[in-house]
Amino acid sequence: MGNFFPRWTNWLPLKLAVGVAFIAFGVSVGVAYYFTPKYTRVGYEPTQPVPFSHKIHAGQLGLDCRYCHSFVENSSHANVPTNQTCFNCHGPGKGNVKSASPKLELVVKAHETKQPIPWVKVHKAPDYVYFNHSAHLNRGISCQSCHGQVNEMEVVKHAEPQSMGWCLDCHRNPEQKLRPLDQITNLNYKPEQLDRAAFYQSLIAKGVKTGEIAETIQEGGKAASIEELVSLASVTFGKQVTQLEVGSQLKKHWQVQPPENCTSCHR
């Protein structure tokens, strides 16, 4: 009786084993890269051509982010400061700060040659991702939410994963990140620092009715004055203002509805 299976099937188990091995190797490499900080660039901390300390400027001196990254509230991109911005404080002249420091040699040279300082980009969204800075800042998302505690960094690093899943987590629960617009660049902001009465007064000043605020604090809640709102919130959230309390109010009254469909970011 002849063989039931053709001769080429003798090599089939070996071929299957080799194929499975290659697939397993590919999956392992993919997981090792795409599911680790290496892919999301977390911890990436390049050496810059000029040793600029955010810890000193944004932390110790309290310099507002928008002094260097101007127009970030009006533009989709956060601009890198021009050399003139550095020269405003550090250029040679009476009263200027450490203008003779050797650390500023490149700044002086850039001013003389009119060539920009070759700063190394830390945060970079893929070409297929659209992100608008102004849309986020003007709706209560702080610099700190995406870039971390920059005011404590000697050298700026990539602090957050900024992956698609990370972005979607925020889009699905924006109340966890929203804050008043006057606190956007306050990198040390804590919701418990807010005065509850002043916060609700600011909403009323923008046309929000006390009844709408009360309903957001507690379903079925009623209040006709600031004092009643504060009392209701104290019962619901406790003595101190909480992130959920602030975020829920801003989400409702600013009508914040972050999109979750693909075309929002992939255009």
Side-chain angles (χ1 to χ4, degrees):
M1 181 177 178
N3 291 331
F4 184 78
F5 295 102
R7 182 172 295 180
W8 62 266
T9 58
N10 294 336
W11 294 95
L12 186 59
L14 179 60
K15 291 178 180 180
L16 289 174
V18 171
V20 170
F22 271 104
I23 293 174
F25 176 76
V27 171
S28 299
V29 171
V31 170
Y33 181 74
Y34 289 105
F35 292 87
T36 60
K38 182 178 180 181
Y39 175 67
T40 56
R41 292 161 57 96
V42 172
Y44 176 59
E45 187 178 289
T47 300
Q48 299 292 350
V50 177
F52 179 89
S53 171
H54 277 75
K55 185 175 183 179
I56 291 177
H57 290 79
Q60 182 179 330
L61 301 177
L63 197 65
D64 192 291
C65 307
R66 293 165 294 190
Y67 181 77
C68 295
H69 304 288
S70 52
F71 306 111
V72 70
E73 295 169 298
N74 304 308
S75 171
S76 62
H77 293 82
N79 61 293
V80 176
T82 64
N83 186 62
Q84 184 58 48
T85 302
C86 303
F87 230 63
N88 289 342
C89 296
H90 296 292
K94 184 178 179 180
N96 283 12
V97 182
K98 295 186 176 182
S99 57
S101 171
K103 294 181 179 180
L104 296 170
E105 288 181 1
L106 192 57
V107 175
V108 175
K109 183 179 179 180
H111 180 74
E112 294 173 349
T113 62
K114 308 303 180 185
Q115 296 297 316
I117 296 172
W119 299 107
V120 180
K121 196 172 184 65
V122 180
H123 302 85
K124 177 175 171 56
D127 293 338
Y128 53 81
V129 172
Y130 174 77
F131 178 85
N132 189 311
H133 275 79
S134 64
H136 287 76
L137 265 68
N138 286 305
R139 272 299 173 263
I141 299 299
S142 169
C143 314
Q144 184 268 338
S145 296
C146 297
H147 298 294
Q149 212 66 40
V150 176
N151 57 322
E152 297 178 359
M153 299 179 189
E154 191 66 40
V155 178
V156 170
K157 64 181 180 180
H158 203 295
E160 300 292 345
Q162 299 187 0
S163 62
M164 184 173 70
W166 179 83
C167 292
L168 284 172
D169 285 343
C170 187
H171 275 223
R172 289 166 180 155
N173 303 285
E175 63 275 7
Q176 299 296 333
K177 298 292 184 181
L178 297 177
R179 61 175 69 178
L181 295 183
D182 61 355
Q183 300 295 329
I184 292 300
T185 58
N186 178 4
L187 302 180
N188 291 316
Y189 163 82
K190 302 291 182 186
E192 56 265 27
Q193 297 170 348
L194 295 178
D195 179 85
R196 181 170 272 147
F199 171 65
Y200 289 128
Q201 183 62 57
S202 68
L203 294 177
I204 294 172
K206 291 180 173 62
V208 182
K209 297 180 180 178
T210 55
E212 295 174 341
I213 297 175
E215 181 66 28
T216 306
I217 294 173
Q218 185 181 95
E219 186 176 354
K222 296 180 180 179
S225 66
I226 292 291
E227 291 73 19
E228 290 179 353
L229 285 174
V230 170
S231 177
L232 181 63
S234 298
V235 173
T236 304
F237 299 105
K239 292 182 178 180
Q240 292 186 319
V241 179
T242 67
Q243 177 57 45
L244 181 61
E245 177 182 359
V246 174
S248 298
Q249 293 289 347
L250 297 181
K251 177 183 177 181
K252 178 177 180 179
H253 304 304
W254 284 351
Q255 298 182 355
V256 176
Q257 297 177 319
E260 297 178 35
N261 57 71
C262 303
T263 55
S264 301
C265 302
H266 302 289
R267 301 182 179 182

